[in-house]
Amino acid sequence: MSNIVSINAQNLQQVLGETSQQKLVLLNFFSPQSPDCIGQAAILDKIAAEYTSHIVIANLDCDAEQALASQLAQQVGLQTLPTLVLLKDSAPVDLLAGTQTESQIREALSEHLPAQQDLLLEQAKQALLKSDLNAAFNYAKQAYEIDNTNVRIKLVLSDICIQIHKLDEAQALIETIDSQDQDAYFNNIKAKCEAALDSKDSPEIQQKQQQVDKYPNDLELKEELSALLNEAGRKEEALEVLFKVLQKDLNYNEAKPSFLAIIASLPDGDALAAKYRRKLYSILY
């Protein structure tokens, strides 16, 4: 991993000096012969993966680099392994001596790093830029679960919900935002939500529904209605209409691929996706 390095005499000044000007450096005094050190290294690897842009894990193997370890140990007052020294702007800001739990390490880092919900929000924004709506929704949802009072998180999550046609969720979030927080971004998201809600029951959908009601055995009409409902974000209704088609004829036209495509468009872990997968399995097997 790019933000995990092994410290030696050649890169010491660069990592502890230059790198710590841009990122928080965790200088990890360890021995590969120590089970406690190995266990804590796994925790550090996990944290490093979460904070790739904010921290660097600088591992100093005290067995392989004895002279360097001895020199640095005197400077920091090292007494036991493992020991973590947090460096910022080329200076120590904290020292964690002995084996630490994950929560203890995270608590120490929290004073020097962005909050977890802020990181998740940034990941959601980056995923949006890449048009990865599934990942964006999951990141923003996690951020909201950590802090459900953050207005910016609410608006980003609302924006994503509109794009994946979870309009009821988007509307509910928008309605919780107080008037003093209703800025230009809020007005933009609110307008997008209202436009999407207006399109949910278009004249085309109404007309197609009337045709389906008149000719209930016409599977082609039902397939066309499902497509319109899906386009308007009414995914559960679209799935239900297609399911009725599949109950009549499991191999009718594009009903099954369309059914599966709608499920695939839902976020990971979505209850609606699980519900209609089960319904499909009930007629497949």
Side-chain angles (χ1 to χ4, degrees), residues 146-172:
I146 294 172
D147 184 1
N148 62 11
T149 64
N150 187 303
V151 173
R152 194 56 47 176
I153 292 174
K154 288 182 182 180
L155 288 174
V156 171
L157 181 55
S158 298
D159 192 1
I160 298 166
C161 284
I162 292 167
Q163 294 186 57
I164 62 175
H165 301 297
K166 285 181 168 286
L167 299 181
D168 291 340
E169 288 186 30
Q171 187 177 35

PDB file of all heavy atoms in Angstrom, residues 146-172:
ATOM      1  N   ILE A 146     -23.781   8.056  10.774  1.00  0.00           N
ATOM      2  CA  ILE A 146     -22.878   8.551  11.819  1.00  0.00           C
ATOM      3  C   ILE A 146     -23.348   9.915  12.331  1.00  0.00           C
ATOM      4  O   ILE A 146     -23.348  10.176  13.534  1.00  0.00           O
ATOM      5  CB  ILE A 146     -21.437   8.654  11.283  1.00  0.00           C
ATOM      6  CG1 ILE A 146     -20.894   7.263  10.955  1.00  0.00           C
ATOM      7  CG2 ILE A 146     -20.526   9.341  12.305  1.00  0.00           C
ATOM      8  CD1 ILE A 146     -19.558   7.279  10.252  1.00  0.00           C
ATOM      9  N   ASP A 147     -23.755  10.783  11.406  1.00  0.00           N
ATOM     10  CA  ASP A 147     -24.191  12.136  11.779  1.00  0.00           C
ATOM     11  C   ASP A 147     -25.413  12.518  10.952  1.00  0.00           C
ATOM     12  O   ASP A 147     -25.298  12.983   9.819  1.00  0.00           O
ATOM     13  CB  ASP A 147     -23.056  13.139  11.539  1.00  0.00           C
ATOM     14  CG  ASP A 147     -23.418  14.551  11.991  1.00  0.00           C
ATOM     15  OD1 ASP A 147     -24.535  14.746  12.500  1.00  0.00           O
ATOM     16  OD2 ASP A 147     -22.570  15.461  11.842  1.00  0.00           O
ATOM     17  N   ASN A 148     -26.594  12.313  11.533  1.00  0.00           N
ATOM     18  CA  ASN A 148     -27.836  12.594  10.804  1.00  0.00           C
ATOM     19  C   ASN A 148     -28.309  14.034  10.979  1.00  0.00           C
ATOM     20  O   ASN A 148     -29.445  14.361  10.631  1.00  0.00           O
ATOM     21  CB  ASN A 148     -28.938  11.617  11.201  1.00  0.00           C
ATOM     22  CG  ASN A 148     -29.301  11.704  12.681  1.00  0.00           C
ATOM     23  OD1 ASN A 148     -28.888  12.625  13.387  1.00  0.00           O
ATOM     24  ND2 ASN A 148     -30.059  10.728  13.158  1.00  0.00           N
ATOM     25  N   THR A 149     -27.443  14.902  11.516  1.00  0.00           N
ATOM     26  CA  THR A 149     -27.793  16.321  11.649  1.00  0.00           C
ATOM     27  C   THR A 149     -27.001  17.190  10.676  1.00  0.00           C
ATOM     28  O   THR A 149     -27.288  18.378  10.552  1.00  0.00           O
ATOM     29  CB  THR A 149     -27.526  16.816  13.084  1.00  0.00           C
ATOM     30  OG1 THR A 149     -26.113  16.733  13.363  1.00  0.00           O
ATOM     31  CG2 THR A 149     -28.286  15.970  14.107  1.00  0.00           C
ATOM     32  N   ASN A 150     -26.034  16.603  10.002  1.00  0.00           N
ATOM     33  CA  ASN A 150     -25.171  17.354   9.090  1.00  0.00           C
ATOM     34  C   ASN A 150     -25.931  17.705   7.812  1.00  0.00           C
ATOM     35  O   ASN A 150     -26.324  16.821   7.045  1.00  0.00           O
ATOM     36  CB  ASN A 150     -23.921  16.521   8.772  1.00  0.00           C
ATOM     37  CG  ASN A 150     -22.893  17.291   7.973  1.00  0.00           C
ATOM     38  OD1 ASN A 150     -23.174  17.796   6.884  1.00  0.00           O
ATOM     39  ND2 ASN A 150     -21.685  17.372   8.507  1.00  0.00           N
ATOM     40  N   VAL A 151     -26.117  18.995   7.577  1.00  0.00           N
ATOM     41  CA  VAL A 151     -26.926  19.457   6.440  1.00  0.00           C
ATOM     42  C   VAL A 151     -26.296  19.065   5.112  1.00  0.00           C
ATOM     43  O   VAL A 151     -26.976  18.626   4.179  1.00  0.00           O
ATOM     44  CB  VAL A 151     -27.123  20.984   6.511  1.00  0.00           C
ATOM     45  CG1 VAL A 151     -27.817  21.494   5.241  1.00  0.00           C
ATOM     46  CG2 VAL A 151     -27.931  21.358   7.737  1.00  0.00           C
ATOM     47  N   ARG A 152     -24.951  19.185   5.011  1.00  0.00           N
ATOM     48  CA  ARG A 152     -24.292  18.868   3.747  1.00  0.00           C
ATOM     49  C   ARG A 152     -24.438  17.390   3.418  1.00  0.00           C
ATOM     50  O   ARG A 152     -24.661  17.019   2.263  1.00  0.00           O
ATOM     51  CB  ARG A 152     -22.805  19.247   3.840  1.00  0.00           C
ATOM     52  CG  ARG A 152     -22.067  19.301   2.541  1.00  0.00           C
ATOM     53  CD  ARG A 152     -22.684  20.223   1.511  1.00  0.00           C
ATOM     54  NE  ARG A 152     -23.063  21.531   2.002  1.00  0.00           N
ATOM     55  CZ  ARG A 152     -23.547  22.504   1.245  1.00  0.00           C
ATOM     56  NH1 ARG A 152     -23.709  22.312  -0.037  1.00  0.00           N
ATOM     57  NH2 ARG A 152     -23.889  23.665   1.766  1.00  0.00           N
ATOM     58  N   ILE A 153     -24.337  16.542   4.437  1.00  0.00           N
ATOM     59  CA  ILE A 153     -24.534  15.103   4.219  1.00  0.00           C
ATOM     60  C   ILE A 153     -25.960  14.840   3.741  1.00  0.00           C
ATOM     61  O   ILE A 153     -26.184  14.067   2.806  1.00  0.00           O
ATOM     62  CB  ILE A 153     -24.238  14.309   5.504  1.00  0.00           C
ATOM     63  CG1 ILE A 153     -22.743  14.370   5.843  1.00  0.00           C
ATOM     64  CG2 ILE A 153     -24.678  12.849   5.364  1.00  0.00           C
ATOM     65  CD1 ILE A 153     -22.377  13.740   7.169  1.00  0.00           C
ATOM     66  N   LYS A 154     -26.937  15.491   4.365  1.00  0.00           N
ATOM     67  CA  LYS A 154     -28.339  15.306   3.972  1.00  0.00           C
ATOM     68  C   LYS A 154     -28.553  15.685   2.503  1.00  0.00           C
ATOM     69  O   LYS A 154     -29.244  14.979   1.765  1.00  0.00           O
ATOM     70  CB  LYS A 154     -29.255  16.163   4.845  1.00  0.00           C
ATOM     71  CG  LYS A 154     -29.414  15.692   6.279  1.00  0.00           C
ATOM     72  CD  LYS A 154     -30.373  16.611   7.008  1.00  0.00           C
ATOM     73  CE  LYS A 154     -30.549  16.230   8.460  1.00  0.00           C
ATOM     74  NZ  LYS A 154     -31.484  17.136   9.163  1.00  0.00           N
ATOM     75  N   LEU A 155     -27.959  16.795   2.091  1.00  0.00           N
ATOM     76  CA  LEU A 155     -28.182  17.274   0.725  1.00  0.00           C
ATOM     77  C   LEU A 155     -27.502  16.375  -0.310  1.00  0.00           C
ATOM     78  O   LEU A 155     -28.077  16.082  -1.358  1.00  0.00           O
ATOM     79  CB  LEU A 155     -27.685  18.714   0.587  1.00  0.00           C
ATOM     80  CG  LEU A 155     -28.546  19.768   1.298  1.00  0.00           C
ATOM     81  CD1 LEU A 155     -27.889  21.138   1.238  1.00  0.00           C
ATOM     82  CD2 LEU A 155     -29.946  19.825   0.689  1.00  0.00           C
ATOM     83  N   VAL A 156     -26.275  15.931  -0.010  1.00  0.00           N
ATOM     84  CA  VAL A 156     -25.592  15.030  -0.933  1.00  0.00           C
ATOM     85  C   VAL A 156     -26.355  13.714  -1.037  1.00  0.00           C
ATOM     86  O   VAL A 156     -26.557  13.178  -2.134  1.00  0.00           O
ATOM     87  CB  VAL A 156     -24.132  14.787  -0.486  1.00  0.00           C
ATOM     88  CG1 VAL A 156     -23.492  13.679  -1.311  1.00  0.00           C
ATOM     89  CG2 VAL A 156     -23.317  16.074  -0.612  1.00  0.00           C
ATOM     90  N   LEU A 157     -26.806  13.193   0.111  1.00  0.00           N
ATOM     91  CA  LEU A 157     -27.579  11.947   0.098  1.00  0.00           C
ATOM     92  C   LEU A 157     -28.895  12.147  -0.652  1.00  0.00           C
ATOM     93  O   LEU A 157     -29.328  11.263  -1.417  1.00  0.00           O
ATOM     94  CB  LEU A 157     -27.841  11.473   1.529  1.00  0.00           C
ATOM     95  CG  LEU A 157     -28.618  10.163   1.692  1.00  0.00           C
ATOM     96  CD1 LEU A 157     -27.962   9.026   0.925  1.00  0.00           C
ATOM     97  CD2 LEU A 157     -28.746   9.798   3.174  1.00  0.00           C
ATOM     98  N   SER A 158     -29.534  13.285  -0.471  1.00  0.00           N
ATOM     99  CA  SER A 158     -30.773  13.591  -1.209  1.00  0.00           C
ATOM    100  C   SER A 158     -30.528  13.608  -2.712  1.00  0.00           C
ATOM    101  O   SER A 158     -31.309  13.047  -3.489  1.00  0.00           O
ATOM    102  CB  SER A 158     -31.332  14.953  -0.782  1.00  0.00           C
ATOM    103  OG  SER A 158     -31.673  14.973   0.578  1.00  0.00           O
ATOM    104  N   ASP A 159     -29.437  14.246  -3.109  1.00  0.00           N
ATOM    105  CA  ASP A 159     -29.083  14.331  -4.525  1.00  0.00           C
ATOM    106  C   ASP A 159     -28.908  12.927  -5.116  1.00  0.00           C
ATOM    107  O   ASP A 159     -29.417  12.622  -6.199  1.00  0.00           O
ATOM    108  CB  ASP A 159     -27.794  15.134  -4.670  1.00  0.00           C
ATOM    109  CG  ASP A 159     -27.504  15.532  -6.111  1.00  0.00           C
ATOM    110  OD1 ASP A 159     -28.310  15.203  -7.003  1.00  0.00           O
ATOM    111  OD2 ASP A 159     -26.466  16.162  -6.354  1.00  0.00           O
ATOM    112  N   ILE A 160     -28.210  12.070  -4.376  1.00  0.00           N
ATOM    113  CA  ILE A 160     -27.988  10.699  -4.853  1.00  0.00           C
ATOM    114  C   ILE A 160     -29.312   9.944  -4.914  1.00  0.00           C
ATOM    115  O   ILE A 160     -29.582   9.212  -5.881  1.00  0.00           O
ATOM    116  CB  ILE A 160     -26.983   9.971  -3.945  1.00  0.00           C
ATOM    117  CG1 ILE A 160     -25.628  10.679  -3.980  1.00  0.00           C
ATOM    118  CG2 ILE A 160     -26.830   8.508  -4.371  1.00  0.00           C
ATOM    119  CD1 ILE A 160     -24.678  10.244  -2.888  1.00  0.00           C
ATOM    120  N   CYS A 161     -30.147  10.112  -3.886  1.00  0.00           N
ATOM    121  CA  CYS A 161     -31.447   9.425  -3.858  1.00  0.00           C
ATOM    122  C   CYS A 161     -32.306   9.815  -5.057  1.00  0.00           C
ATOM    123  O   CYS A 161     -33.012   8.974  -5.624  1.00  0.00           O
ATOM    124  CB  CYS A 161     -32.184   9.749  -2.554  1.00  0.00           C
ATOM    125  SG  CYS A 161     -31.556   8.866  -1.106  1.00  0.00           S
ATOM    126  N   ILE A 162     -32.249  11.077  -5.450  1.00  0.00           N
ATOM    127  CA  ILE A 162     -33.002  11.519  -6.623  1.00  0.00           C
ATOM    128  C   ILE A 162     -32.501  10.801  -7.866  1.00  0.00           C
ATOM    129  O   ILE A 162     -33.281  10.319  -8.697  1.00  0.00           O
ATOM    130  CB  ILE A 162     -32.882  13.052  -6.801  1.00  0.00           C
ATOM    131  CG1 ILE A 162     -33.599  13.770  -5.659  1.00  0.00           C
ATOM    132  CG2 ILE A 162     -33.464  13.484  -8.149  1.00  0.00           C
ATOM    133  CD1 ILE A 162     -33.279  15.256  -5.572  1.00  0.00           C
ATOM    134  N   GLN A 163     -31.165  10.681  -7.979  1.00  0.00           N
ATOM    135  CA  GLN A 163     -30.583  10.062  -9.171  1.00  0.00           C
ATOM    136  C   GLN A 163     -30.849   8.566  -9.254  1.00  0.00           C
ATOM    137  O   GLN A 163     -30.886   8.002 -10.350  1.00  0.00           O
ATOM    138  CB  GLN A 163     -29.077  10.329  -9.208  1.00  0.00           C
ATOM    139  CG  GLN A 163     -28.733  11.807  -9.387  1.00  0.00           C
ATOM    140  CD  GLN A 163     -27.250  12.038  -9.556  1.00  0.00           C
ATOM    141  OE1 GLN A 163     -26.624  11.480 -10.445  1.00  0.00           O
ATOM    142  NE2 GLN A 163     -26.675  12.868  -8.705  1.00  0.00           N
ATOM    143  N   ILE A 164     -31.051   7.921  -8.102  1.00  0.00           N
ATOM    144  CA  ILE A 164     -31.353   6.482  -8.137  1.00  0.00           C
ATOM    145  C   ILE A 164     -32.850   6.244  -7.905  1.00  0.00           C
ATOM    146  O   ILE A 164     -33.270   5.133  -7.607  1.00  0.00           O
ATOM    147  CB  ILE A 164     -30.513   5.696  -7.108  1.00  0.00           C
ATOM    148  CG1 ILE A 164     -30.801   6.150  -5.678  1.00  0.00           C
ATOM    149  CG2 ILE A 164     -29.036   5.810  -7.423  1.00  0.00           C
ATOM    150  CD1 ILE A 164     -30.081   5.325  -4.624  1.00  0.00           C
ATOM    151  N   HIS A 165     -33.626   7.335  -8.015  1.00  0.00           N
ATOM    152  CA  HIS A 165     -35.089   7.266  -7.956  1.00  0.00           C
ATOM    153  C   HIS A 165     -35.627   6.819  -6.600  1.00  0.00           C
ATOM    154  O   HIS A 165     -36.692   6.199  -6.532  1.00  0.00           O
ATOM    155  CB  HIS A 165     -35.624   6.341  -9.053  1.00  0.00           C
ATOM    156  CG  HIS A 165     -35.256   6.774 -10.436  1.00  0.00           C
ATOM    157  ND1 HIS A 165     -35.675   7.958 -10.973  1.00  0.00           N
ATOM    158  CD2 HIS A 165     -34.488   6.180 -11.383  1.00  0.00           C
ATOM    159  CE1 HIS A 165     -35.198   8.084 -12.200  1.00  0.00           C
ATOM    160  NE2 HIS A 165     -34.469   7.028 -12.471  1.00  0.00           N
ATOM    161  N   LYS A 166     -34.923   7.153  -5.526  1.00  0.00           N
ATOM    162  CA  LYS A 166     -35.471   6.960  -4.175  1.00  0.00           C
ATOM    163  C   LYS A 166     -36.049   8.309  -3.738  1.00  0.00           C
ATOM    164  O   LYS A 166     -35.542   8.970  -2.832  1.00  0.00           O
ATOM    165  CB  LYS A 166     -34.379   6.476  -3.215  1.00  0.00           C
ATOM    166  CG  LYS A 166     -33.992   5.010  -3.392  1.00  0.00           C
ATOM    167  CD  LYS A 166     -32.939   4.596  -2.393  1.00  0.00           C
ATOM    168  CE  LYS A 166     -32.765   3.087  -2.370  1.00  0.00           C
ATOM    169  NZ  LYS A 166     -33.868   2.383  -1.713  1.00  0.00           N
ATOM    170  N   LEU A 167     -37.120   8.695  -4.409  1.00  0.00           N
ATOM    171  CA  LEU A 167     -37.637  10.057  -4.265  1.00  0.00           C
ATOM    172  C   LEU A 167     -38.277  10.300  -2.901  1.00  0.00           C
ATOM    173  O   LEU A 167     -38.189  11.404  -2.359  1.00  0.00           O
ATOM    174  CB  LEU A 167     -38.641  10.345  -5.380  1.00  0.00           C
ATOM    175  CG  LEU A 167     -38.074  10.253  -6.800  1.00  0.00           C
ATOM    176  CD1 LEU A 167     -39.156  10.573  -7.821  1.00  0.00           C
ATOM    177  CD2 LEU A 167     -36.880  11.178  -6.975  1.00  0.00           C
ATOM    178  N   ASP A 168     -38.923   9.290  -2.339  1.00  0.00           N
ATOM    179  CA  ASP A 168     -39.533   9.470  -1.025  1.00  0.00           C
ATOM    180  C   ASP A 168     -38.466   9.734   0.030  1.00  0.00           C
ATOM    181  O   ASP A 168     -38.647  10.583   0.909  1.00  0.00           O
ATOM    182  CB  ASP A 168     -40.353   8.231  -0.641  1.00  0.00           C
ATOM    183  CG  ASP A 168     -41.596   8.073  -1.505  1.00  0.00           C
ATOM    184  OD1 ASP A 168     -42.021   9.085  -2.104  1.00  0.00           O
ATOM    185  OD2 ASP A 168     -42.137   6.958  -1.590  1.00  0.00           O
ATOM    186  N   GLU A 169     -37.342   9.025  -0.074  1.00  0.00           N
ATOM    187  CA  GLU A 169     -36.239   9.238   0.869  1.00  0.00           C
ATOM    188  C   GLU A 169     -35.653  10.630   0.684  1.00  0.00           C
ATOM    189  O   GLU A 169     -35.347  11.328   1.659  1.00  0.00           O
ATOM    190  CB  GLU A 169     -35.154   8.182   0.682  1.00  0.00           C
ATOM    191  CG  GLU A 169     -35.552   6.799   1.178  1.00  0.00           C
ATOM    192  CD  GLU A 169     -34.398   5.804   1.121  1.00  0.00           C
ATOM    193  OE1 GLU A 169     -33.241   6.240   1.268  1.00  0.00           O
ATOM    194  OE2 GLU A 169     -34.663   4.608   0.937  1.00  0.00           O
ATOM    195  N   ALA A 170     -35.487  11.039  -0.572  1.00  0.00           N
ATOM    196  CA  ALA A 170     -34.939  12.364  -0.856  1.00  0.00           C
ATOM    197  C   ALA A 170     -35.843  13.451  -0.290  1.00  0.00           C
ATOM    198  O   ALA A 170     -35.378  14.395   0.368  1.00  0.00           O
ATOM    199  CB  ALA A 170     -34.768  12.550  -2.361  1.00  0.00           C
ATOM    200  N   GLN A 171     -37.133  13.320  -0.522  1.00  0.00           N
ATOM    201  CA  GLN A 171     -38.092  14.317  -0.040  1.00  0.00           C
ATOM    202  C   GLN A 171     -38.088  14.383   1.482  1.00  0.00           C
ATOM    203  O   GLN A 171     -38.118  15.477   2.070  1.00  0.00           O
ATOM    204  CB  GLN A 171     -39.487  13.974  -0.551  1.00  0.00           C
ATOM    205  CG  GLN A 171     -40.532  15.049  -0.238  1.00  0.00           C
ATOM    206  CD  GLN A 171     -41.888  14.696  -0.833  1.00  0.00           C
ATOM    207  OE1 GLN A 171     -42.273  13.536  -0.892  1.00  0.00           O
ATOM    208  NE2 GLN A 171     -42.613  15.702  -1.293  1.00  0.00           N
ATOM    209  N   ALA A 172     -38.026  13.233   2.144  1.00  0.00           N
ATOM    210  CA  ALA A 172     -38.012  13.200   3.610  1.00  0.00           C
ATOM    211  C   ALA A 172     -36.780  13.911   4.162  1.00  0.00           C
ATOM    212  O   ALA A 172     -36.866  14.646   5.160  1.00  0.00           O
ATOM    213  CB  ALA A 172     -38.068  11.755   4.096  1.00  0.00           C
TER     214      ALA A 172
END
